Amino acid sequence: MSSSSTIVSGSLSVGQQELEENEEISRNRRNPKVALAFEEVLDSIGSRGKFQTRLNIVFNCFGPCFNMMSVNVFFLAMQTPDHWCHVPGIEHANMSLEEWKNFTIPREGNSFSKCLMYNQSDAVNWSSAEPIKCQHGWDYDETWFSLTVPSQMNWVCDNQQPAKDVLFYAQNIGVAMSLLFGYIGDMYGRRPLQLFCLAAHVISRLLLVLTPDILVLFILAESLVSAAAGPMLESALSVGLELADIRHRTTLNYFSSCCLGVGVMAAGFLSWLLRNWNYSMCCTAALFFALILFSRWFPESPRWLACRGREQDALRQLRRIAATNGGLLPPFAPRVMRNVAKAQRDRKGFLSLFSSWNVFKNTVLLITARSAHLLTQFSLVLLAGGVGVNPFLTVAAQGAVQLPSGCVVHVCAARLGRRWTAVGCALLASVTCAATFCMLRGKLRRL
């Protein structure tokens, strides 16, 4: 066949395909209940099929659960157990621990001093000696924790600053690094971002175990998860919502939020079971490595591919979804993806945040609201070890409260709208924080 006849034949084929697409589009446009959009393609390939089911179970249920578990396990690992000066000789004395502490450790109010011991070398009358700083290290209460980062590294008394530095710098560096993670998602896709976040969790948790004595590396290791936690949740949820029909998107969001609460509960119970922060971190790394093994079930966003000018790749993703669900790609799918590309191709990463005053203002408001939310939530976790009760049950209870609260928010948002629901949540959070502050302050005064 000559080249000219090939071109003519190809033109006829393209023209026939265009006619079929236009015919399908016109049929859908005559239906007043259906607007020709990406959702119509989903209806044809299956919006609640096997592909979406396994994607959402692994990455929007187990993913958020493991994510919150990883974050909260670290905060539990940074708890400082009750401690006192180690004074050699208890093994030769016929005394209980309480009697030995009464003999060797001065009191500060109703409790033993954490950083002082009696200065007495002949052990004749220790209680009349002058208190001095700890000379032989510290002993730690192992009622709840067998080992935490501060107890392993002795970040107590005059050496408390490293623990504060870790919490401060890791979170701030994580905020800056999260911008990089967001850039990766915008420029290279949701799938590479998700894999990058999963790998960041694995690398971070293993590095934490290996580098507690190298403070800079320890901070950078925790910064990886501080940066990856949010983008990991949002990239998975955005793809899950994109591939779900409109009627079930709110439900998917609700289940994903519930899994966050389950993750907080799992962090408390896992740390309680293992009690050693090294084991908790290694276990968390293993769970995220297991998620990486299922990464082939995480697709690239067809919308993102179309917006980046990769319409054929987007169609291949849709055919893959259709084959898994037992559906068929409709003939008008190429036209829809071209329309998606034309409508959204002008978005350019960070620059889109400054495209208008409203976009910039809303972005600032969202950042402020998210920061207040995280500060409220994680401050309670950090205080779990200082309330005098089981810290693991305290954290698990915080996660358990999220389950009914998420249900209430879900119902209120459906009936009252998202705006007033958000305002009510903010007011309730402020009242709760004030009440918690007053209770903790009263407890500290009694101590």
Side-chain angles (χ1 to χ4, degrees), residues 177-377:
M177 291 176 63
S178 65
L179 298 176
L180 174 62
F181 279 68
Y183 180 80
I184 292 173
D186 287 340
M187 301 305 295
Y188 300 101
R190 276 48 171 171
R191 176 179 165 81
L193 174 61
Q194 182 72 194
L195 296 178
F196 193 39
C197 291
L198 293 174
H201 274 274
V202 176
I203 295 171
S204 168
R205 273 38 197 149
L206 294 179
L207 275 179
L208 287 177
V209 174
L210 297 174
T211 62
D213 53 336
I214 308 176
L215 190 59
V216 174
L217 289 180
F218 192 81
I219 292 173
L220 291 177
E222 174 54 22
S223 300
L224 280 176
V225 167
S226 298
M232 176 185 164
L233 294 173
E234 290 156 7
S235 62
L237 189 58
S238 65
V239 175
L241 293 175
E242 176 183 336
L243 299 179
D245 58 30
I246 295 176
R247 296 183 300 275
H248 295 88
R249 289 176 182 173
T250 304
T251 303
L252 175 59
N253 202 353
Y254 166 65
F255 279 115
S256 179
S257 300
C258 288
C259 290
L260 295 176
V262 173
V264 178
M265 297 173 61
F269 290 125
L270 178 68
S271 299
W272 194 3
L273 175 66
L274 300 178
R275 296 184 357 109
N276 185 312
W277 79 278
N278 292 285
Y279 301 153
S280 301
M281 291 297 158
C282 291
C283 182
T284 304
L287 292 174
F288 277 94
F289 183 77
L291 283 183
I292 293 177
L293 298 180
F294 292 93
S295 59
R296 62 188 180 88
W297 289 355
F298 193 96
E300 186 52 83
S301 162
R303 286 180 183 272
W304 180 87
L305 289 170
C307 293
R308 301 298 295 179
R310 298 166 57 183
E311 297 167 22
Q312 293 304 314
D313 291 335
L315 292 173
R316 276 193 289 270
Q317 286 287 359
L318 295 175
R319 291 190 187 97
R320 175 189 168 197
I321 297 171
T324 304
N325 292 341
L328 293 174
L329 189 67
F332 60 84
R335 175 68 60 85
V336 171
M337 299 314 295
R338 285 196 292 271
N339 291 337
V340 170
K342 291 176 182 178
Q344 301 184 18
R345 191 175 291 177
D346 58 339
R347 299 182 180 181
K348 299 294 183 183
F350 294 134
L351 296 179
S352 63
L353 300 179
F354 304 95
S355 58
S356 69
W357 167 246
N358 282 335
V359 172
F360 177 74
K361 178 182 66 176
N362 291 336
T363 301
V364 172
L365 290 175
L366 287 172
I367 292 173
T368 304
R370 179 67 64 87
S371 300
H373 161 71
L374 294 178
L375 178 63
T376 303
Q377 181 178 12

Side-chain angles (χ1 to χ4, degrees), residues 65-78:
C65 179
F66 293 168
N67 199 336
M68 290 304 294
M69 182 174 64
S70 175
V71 172
N72 287 277
V73 160
F74 173 78
F75 287 132
L76 284 170
M78 291 299 295

